[in-house]
Amino acid sequence: MGTSDDTEFDQFVDQFVERYVAMMEGVEPDLDRLVTEPSGFDAAGMLAAIGHPSLAVPGRQPIALQLIADFMAPEGSIYFDAIYGAMPGQLATRRWLVPTMATIDFIQFVPQAPHVLFDDGLGGTSLDEWQMVAVIGDERMPLSRGASVRRYRDGWITWACDVYDTGVFRVPPPPEAGVEAAPIPDWPRTVWHPDTSVPETRARDVDWDAVAAEFHPTESVYRDPIFGEVRGRDAIRSWLADVMPKAGDVVFEPLGPLLDDGTTSVQEWQQMAVQPDGSRVFMTRGTSVRRRRDGLVVEATDYFDTASLFDPDVVAASLAAGSTMTADDVARHRSV
């Protein structure tokens, strides 16, 4: 049963969203709108407002997008999308988010796991995992899975990163489909600054057998954009033991803190190929999520974009770092 505080919170969010919808409904989205005063919500309030049922009503997507943009800090914030790259500040986010999402209103974002709000000691960080589904007539076509991480500071969203594999969007539809895919930008060359307060992970120094031992013997799954789903501790151990030594000298540089509430953890990172001269070349940017039950990992998902991994310069850097991975290695473990 909820408390009186819960009731007051829900009423406050309801009233806020009701006023917002009344203000925005029937009005052409203002892409130059700049909100300079925070809403008064903390992280939980912003999340409740963004996910309010009244914003899921057909035709109200532009209003929901405007609200997300309103919550972004006017300056110093970043919204990253795996296709379009990093948008700095509220205006850039709004001018990209609202019109771009309007062009793909046939895509639904279906939650794949319970939403998590971490207490990071600075205002909160949220995690959402979702599946893109293209809805065309009566057909529903699953697309990429993704993860969204948002950081909340002083009444604003200062960091929003949507990470997913863009590979499916870069493959032309078959000729028999009779449609032409709209072109999308090349993979974004966003420059990330590692969080030096968090230790980096060098793949060749990891005890992968110990990692596999953390998984539930039978009720576990490891999801990877390249290899698909690997199920069960033994299969996960075999996969990690085979492929990780073939990755070469790669380093996972943290792009934020490791957050863990005991049942769910999240870590953002960039994968770098270490060159013979010690320099590092960017390979891909990712977000890793682990979900545990009774102390054992039951779900592990690494979200990242494969597009950059097939860039000729990145391939060359990977080989220089000692990678010996082949297509046969992928085919041997990949689930269909």
Side-chain angles (χ1 to χ4, degrees):
M1 179 177 292
T3 66
S4 59
D5 287 344
D6 293 333
T7 301
E8 291 177 5
F9 173 81
D10 292 341
Q11 290 176 343
F12 185 56
V13 174
D14 289 344
Q15 291 168 2
F16 174 87
V17 174
E18 182 180 348
R19 291 194 302 269
Y20 194 85
V21 170
M23 178 177 67
M24 293 293 193
E25 197 154 37
V27 178
E28 187 71 19
D30 179 5
L31 300 184
D32 294 322
R33 174 181 169 86
L34 181 65
V35 178
T36 57
E37 294 295 328
S39 64
F41 283 128
D42 60 6
M46 283 184 269
L47 283 166
I50 292 171
H52 198 275
S54 66
L55 293 178
V57 173
R60 286 185 177 170
Q61 185 194 47
I63 298 176
L65 296 173
Q66 285 276 32
L67 181 58
I68 294 173
D70 282 1
F71 286 157
M72 297 296 295
E75 303 291 340
S77 60
I78 180 175
Y79 196 125
F80 174 81
D81 176 86
I83 288 178
Y84 295 95
M87 312 299 157
Q90 185 189 118
L91 271 180
T93 296
R94 189 186 311 277
R95 290 169 178 170
W96 159 75
L97 182 66
V98 177
T100 301
M101 294 301 292
T103 66
I104 57 170
D105 58 0
F106 60 92
I107 292 182
Q108 295 180 355
F109 295 83
V110 181
Q112 296 297 294
H115 163 91
V116 181
L117 178 58
F118 296 94
D119 180 3
D120 58 18
L122 297 171
T125 296
S126 64
L127 166 68
D128 289 282
E129 296 179 272
W130 36 265
Q131 170 93 53
M132 289 189 200
V133 177
V135 182
I136 303 175
D138 295 330
E139 298 293 323
R140 295 178 63 86
M141 180 186 302
L143 301 174
S144 295
R145 287 177 64 111
S148 297
V149 174
R150 296 189 179 104
R151 300 178 192 166
Y152 306 83
R153 305 288 185 265
D154 301 320
W156 300 102
I157 298 173
T158 59
W159 174 278
C161 288
D162 297 341
V163 176
Y164 53 96
D165 184 14
T166 71
V168 66
F169 303 100
R170 300 179 187 277
V171 178
E176 58 269 22
V179 297
E180 183 175 347
I184 64 174
D186 194 10
W187 64 272
R189 269 67 171 178
T190 304
V191 176
W192 299 101
H193 301 287
D195 186 337
T196 56
S197 68
V198 182
E200 64 185 23
T201 300
R202 202 159 192 152
R204 67 184 185 185
D205 295 334
V206 175
D207 182 345
W208 295 107
D209 188 69
V211 170
E214 297 180 10
F215 284 77
H216 190 282
T218 57
E219 298 176 17
S220 55
V221 58
Y222 199 130
R223 299 186 184 93
D224 178 280
I226 294 175
F227 291 92
E229 295 186 353
V230 184
R231 293 185 173 274
R233 179 190 290 165
D234 289 345
I236 291 170
R237 176 182 284 114
S238 175
W239 167 59
L240 291 174
D242 182 30
V243 304
M244 293 310 299
K246 297 174 181 177
D249 192 2
V250 297
V251 173
F252 297 91
E253 297 179 345
L255 300 180
L258 170 63
L259 299 172
D260 191 339
D261 67 1
T263 59
T264 304
S265 65
V266 62
Q267 176 71 75
E268 298 179 276
W269 44 266
Q270 62 179 353
Q271 182 178 343
M272 310 293 286
V274 182
Q275 302 301 279
D277 63 0
S279 63
R280 298 182 179 189
V281 176
F282 175 86
M283 299 180 71
T284 190
R285 184 246 190 270
T287 299
S288 292
V289 179
R290 304 289 182 264
R291 295 186 182 258
R292 294 176 176 82
R293 187 172 67 241
D294 298 328
L296 294 174
V297 178
V298 290
E299 289 189 54
T301 308
D302 293 338
Y303 298 98
F304 59 88
D305 186 11
T306 62
S308 57
L309 297 176
F310 294 101
D311 183 287
D313 291 339
V314 176
V315 172
S318 178
L319 292 173
S323 172
T324 59
M325 193 87 66
T326 67
D328 287 341
D329 294 317
V330 175
R332 185 164 56 256
H333 294 282
R334 180 169 175 80
S335 60
V336 179

